[in-house]
Structure formats: C-alpha cells, structure tokens
C-alpha cells in the first residue's frame, strides 16, 4: 500500500499539474531528485517570485462539487496554492445562486459568481487564476465570460467529469465534446 501511494505521488509530482511542486524548496516536499538537481531548483526559487498557485473551481450545481472535492481539498492543504470555489447561478437564471448558498456555509474561499445588487458577473480575468476547473462540459450553460474559449486565454483549464456513461453515441459526445476538449 505504501508503494502504491508513493507511485501516485511520484506520478503527480512529475505530471504537468504537479509542475508547481517542483519549484518548492526540497525541505518542503518529498524529493526524488539528486542533490545536484535540487541545488539548481533552489537557485530558481531564489529568483522566482513567491506567489501561491491560484486555482478556481466553477460550480453551478452543489451536488456536482463532490466529484472535485478531493482535488479542492488537496490544493487547500498545500501552502503553495490557494483554492477557490466560484459559485455560479444556473445560467441563464441569475436571481438565485443555489451553489453559493449551499457551499459558502461548508467551505472556505467561496465566491459568488453573480452580484444581484450591481447586476454584474464576477471578473475572473482580473482575479487571474492559474487553473480553472470545470465540472460540467456543457459550454452553452455558462455565461460568455466563463466559457472555456475565453478563460483559456488567461488560465489553464481542466475538466473533471461528474459521472460516466457506458453507452455509445450521444452521451459520450456530450460529456466529452470536442469543443470543450
């Protein structure tokens, strides 16, 4: 069991998502590198600005958040990252934000995606996240400023599915549509 945990950690560490971990000083994480490589990383760390990785999870349906909860908790547990939930109302209806009502009481760093008093959407581009996680592939159900084609211009986007269909045809095309991918 310990070997499998080490393998999972090692795969994450060397993956693209784990790239930010490789810039953390050796004493902060378990390192699989030789001492020569660690010295070069420490030199990079001295030059690099120490800003935490900013990760945002776009959530419209609070039930769907369970599929990304473990990722959210992982980012929150790291000192080198900040994880936020951007709770959106079910578009195009804007007057009730069920996701914000349910998630803001349970989790930290929950942001309301729509301000009713000002009649404005939260400006995600000004917030400047490094990664944005989508939990639903339905591009048309997002306001235009939160659609993947716009967000991908200033942040890396990730998609975590909330379920799997074991049928061929339309369901697979919807869940893994080419436009989102």
């Amino acid at each position: 069991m310990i070997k499998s945990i080490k393998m999972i950690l090692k795969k994450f560490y060397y993956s693209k998502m784990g790239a930010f971990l490789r810039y953390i000083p050796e004493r902060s994480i378990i390192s699989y590198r030789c001492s020569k490589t660690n010295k070069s990383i420490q030199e990079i760390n001295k030059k690099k600005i120490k800003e935490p990785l900013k990760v945002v999870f776009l959530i419209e349906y609070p039930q769907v958040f369970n599929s990304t909860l473990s990722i959210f908790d992982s980012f929150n547990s790291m000192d080198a990252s900040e994880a936020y939930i951007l709770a959106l109302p079910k578009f195009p209806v804007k007057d009730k934000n069920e996701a914000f009502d349910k998630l803001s009481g349970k989790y930290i760093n929950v942001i309301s995606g729509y301000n009713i008093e000002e009649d404005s959407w939260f400006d995600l581009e000004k917030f400047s996240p490094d990664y944005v996680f989508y939990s639903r592939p339905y591009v048309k159900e997002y306001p235009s400023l939160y659609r993947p084609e716009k967000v991908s211009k200033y942040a890396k986007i990730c998609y975590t599915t909330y379920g799997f269909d074991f049928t061929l045809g339309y369901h697979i095309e919807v869940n893994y549509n080419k436009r989102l991918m």
Side-chain angles (χ1 to χ4, degrees):
M1 172 132 171
I2 293 174
K3 284 185 179 183
S4 63
I5 292 171
K6 284 183 180 179
M7 289 301 295
I8 291 169
L9 289 173
K10 190 173 182 178
K11 284 180 183 177
F12 179 76
Y13 183 78
Y14 286 106
S15 70
K16 286 184 179 181
M17 269 185 66
F20 70 95
L21 285 174
R22 294 192 291 272
Y23 293 105
I24 300 172
E26 179 186 3
R27 64 184 175 278
S28 302
I29 58 171
I30 299 169
S31 178
Y32 294 100
R33 294 190 150 101
C34 66
S35 60
K36 184 177 180 182
T37 310
N38 284 329
K39 286 179 186 176
S40 64
I41 289 172
Q42 289 172 357
E43 289 171 11
I44 291 169
N45 284 331
K46 289 177 186 175
K47 295 176 186 175
K48 191 171 179 173
I49 298 171
K50 301 283 185 184
E51 287 186 24
L53 187 70
K54 199 181 285 186
V55 182
V56 173
F57 293 83
L58 291 179
I59 304 295
E60 286 179 303
Y61 293 85
Q63 312 86 305
V64 174
F65 184 62
N66 287 337
S67 64
T68 58
L69 182 58
S70 61
I71 301 168
F72 176 77
D73 288 339
S74 295
F75 279 115
N76 265 335
S77 66
M78 292 185 242
D79 292 335
S81 65
E82 298 172 348
Y84 298 89
I85 300 170
L86 183 57
L88 303 174
K90 296 174 185 170
F91 187 74
V93 178
K94 299 185 257 183
D95 60 347
K96 187 177 179 192
N97 193 340
E98 181 185 337
F100 182 76
D101 295 340
K102 291 193 177 181
L103 297 174
S104 62
K106 293 181 180 180
Y107 305 103
I108 58 170
N109 298 338
V110 180
I111 302 166
S112 178
Y114 184 75
N115 188 337
I116 295 173
E117 290 85 29
E118 296 177 8
D119 190 31
S120 64
W121 292 96
F122 177 78
D123 193 348
L124 188 60
E125 186 173 1
K126 282 185 182 176
F127 192 66
S128 65
D130 296 301
Y131 289 91
V132 176
F133 279 81
Y134 288 85
S135 57
R136 302 183 73 236
Y138 317 115
V139 176
K140 291 181 181 178
E141 292 187 15
Y142 291 104
S144 63
L145 73 153
Y146 297 136
R147 291 189 179 164
E149 62 266 13
K150 294 224 176 161
V151 175
S152 65
K153 292 178 182 174
Y154 56 86
K156 294 179 181 174
I157 60 172
C158 305
Y159 168 62
T160 54
T161 185
Y162 61 89
F164 293 101
D165 286 322
F166 294 104
T167 59
L168 296 175
Y170 180 71
H171 296 291
I172 290 177
E173 292 169 14
V174 170
N175 288 333
Y176 301 101
N177 64 53
K178 293 176 186 175
R179 193 169 168 203
L180 176 67
M181 297 301 164

